[in-house]
Amino acid sequence: MSINFKKSYKFAIKSSFYISLFATGLVGILLYLFYEINYSFIGLFGLTTLSFSFFVLQYRVEKFIYKRVKKIYDDVSLLDSTTLRSQPITTDMATLTREVQKFATDKKIEIETLKIREEYRREFLGNVSHELKTPLFTVQGYLSTLLDGAMKDKTLLKKYLQRAEKGVERLIYIVKDLDMITKLETGDLNLEVSEFNIIEVVQNVFDLLEMKADEKNILLMFDRKHPKPVLVRGDYEKIEQVLINLIMNSIKYGKQNGSTEVSVEDLVNNKVIVRVTDNGEGIQKHHIPRLFERFFRVDKSGARSEGGSGLGLSIVKHIIEAHDERIYVDSKYGYGSEFSFTLEKAS
Ligand SMILES: Nc1ncnc2c1ncn2[C@@H]1O[C@H](COP(=O)(O)OP(=O)(O)O)[C@@H](O)[C@H]1O
Ligand SMILES: [Mg+2]
């Protein structure tokens, strides 16, 4: 393997200068004491010593340092072959020190990132098993009660089976969210960008969630009529998911007989902004910064009865950011909340 070798002559030049200065001086003094001074002889002697010692020193230094430095390079590059190999090997210690330092810093950063990731993985696993445990135990509870004899009672049989089914539904719901968030976080989810009418998507989501809204007598509506389509660019299914999550939240955390209003407006720079506004329970200010975190729920027990996984908003944030767009939240505790996001207009 041939390694690029950058030479440095400073050491040999200086050293040979000192050696020849000393030798020439000594020869001069000896001549003066025992013979007679011959300047051209002394000059010639000086020059010869200088060049001879220079060549010897340079050669030896190169060999010596090259051997050792190469070993250091080899040891270091055993750990990481890409970073150092591209640089020429140098007899200049400063460069080597700098490179080894840089290598160490890079490694330190890498180790820190790995530690953070490990922490994150552990926390994620902990959260996942915690989320799955509750519905699993519910289902198991109802099923074993039935097996223990409750199944003989026709009304109990139906009631408990229905509850068990609800538990399974919730499990599926959580697993789907987990699947989605894992794909989003590992970057496996490629956007399938197309042009579509955002008004139509909102209307579809209204239709989809109408039954859920009716349970609380919540009205799903646009702020005004949109006779003309509003064409945007994005991943149709993902944007639909965003709207489902936001409108679902507005129903879940909305109040009885309330309303959810969606508005689509032009924004500067060829963007539209979609707002989902409810007049529900609202969110306290200190909770807002954590809202988009995985598994974050304001009221853990209350939200659980509503069947959320706490992943909805982090999925929303991932999708919007994958589109290079922004998501905003504005809320007044006790009065309602507004979630809004931007989208690129189709030209
Ligand atoms: N429209 C809203 N009004 C009030 N609180 C909300 C609203 N949307 C979200 N939240 C709060 O943010 C939390 C996180 O929401 P989300 O990520 O969708 O999880 P989930 O709905 O599964 O609980 C919710 O538990 C709720 O406390
Ligand atoms: Mg939600």
Side-chain angles (χ1 to χ4, degrees), residues 109-232:
I109 292 171
E110 206 176 310
I111 290 168
E112 235 124 70
T113 332
L114 284 176
K115 269 193 199 151
I116 291 171
R117 209 175 300 160
E118 173 59 21
E119 173 85 8
Y120 172 98
R121 193 190 63 87
R122 212 176 311 137
E123 187 197 325
F124 189 73
L125 272 181
N127 281 329
V128 169
S129 40
H130 180 82
E131 289 306 315
L132 293 179
K133 239 168 18 198
T134 322
L136 260 180
F137 287 165
T138 313
V139 174
Q140 192 201 28
Y142 284 120
L143 291 183
S144 35
T145 315
L146 283 175
L147 286 174
D148 284 349
M151 60 195 261
K152 293 198 185 88
D153 183 332
K154 273 264 153 54
T155 48
L156 273 189
L157 177 65
K158 189 161 183 210
K159 194 166 136 195
Y160 284 6
L161 279 180
Q162 275 169 343
R163 288 193 185 166
E165 193 193 22
K166 264 227 145 56
V168 174
E169 260 170 28
R170 177 149 160 66
L171 278 174
I172 294 174
Y173 184 86
I174 294 172
V175 170
K176 268 192 190 158
D177 274 4
L178 278 173
D179 192 42
M180 173 85 90
I181 200 114
T182 318
K183 279 187 183 148
L184 284 166
E185 290 191 351
T186 50
D188 274 357
L189 220 56
N190 294 323
L191 293 183
E192 282 173 40
V193 178
S194 63
E195 293 184 2
F196 56 86
N197 179 8
I198 186 74
I199 305 297
E200 196 186 293
V201 187
V202 176
Q203 190 57 55
N204 287 348
V205 177
F206 279 171
D207 295 345
L208 186 78
L209 299 178
E210 197 177 84
M211 263 187 11
K212 190 98 188 135
D214 281 349
E215 284 170 19
K216 279 170 107 169
N217 199 26
I218 286 176
L219 195 64
L220 305 177
M221 60 184 186
F222 279 105
D223 66 323
R224 61 190 169 92
K225 279 207 159 63
H226 285 280
K228 274 199 241 158
V230 179
L231 290 180
V232 295

Side-chain angles (χ1 to χ4, degrees), residues 7 17 31 33 58 87 91 107 128 143 146 200 214 230 249 273-274 282 338 341:
K7 294 185 182 184
F17 176 73
L31 281 182
L33 289 180
Q58 182 65 23
Q87 307 283 332
T91 52
K107 285 290 153 208
V128 169
L143 291 183
L146 283 175
E200 196 186 293
D214 281 349
V230 179
N249 278 351
I273 185 160
V274 181
E338 178 185 287
F341 59 94

Side-chain angles (χ1 to χ4, degrees), residues 249 252-253 278 282-283 291 296-298 308-310 312-313 337 339:
N249 278 351
K252 269 185 357 190
Y253 309 107
D278 64 57
I283 305 155
L291 225 49
F296 178 80
R297 284 182 301 216
V298 169
S309 63
L313 285 179
S337 320
F339 289 82

Side-chain angles (χ1 to χ4, degrees), residues 91-107:
T91 52
D92 176 9
M93 279 297 157
T95 318
L96 179 68
T97 316
R98 212 180 312 126
E99 266 168 32
V100 171
Q101 253 161 17
K102 184 179 166 289
F103 175 81
T105 320
D106 286 354
K107 285 290 153 208

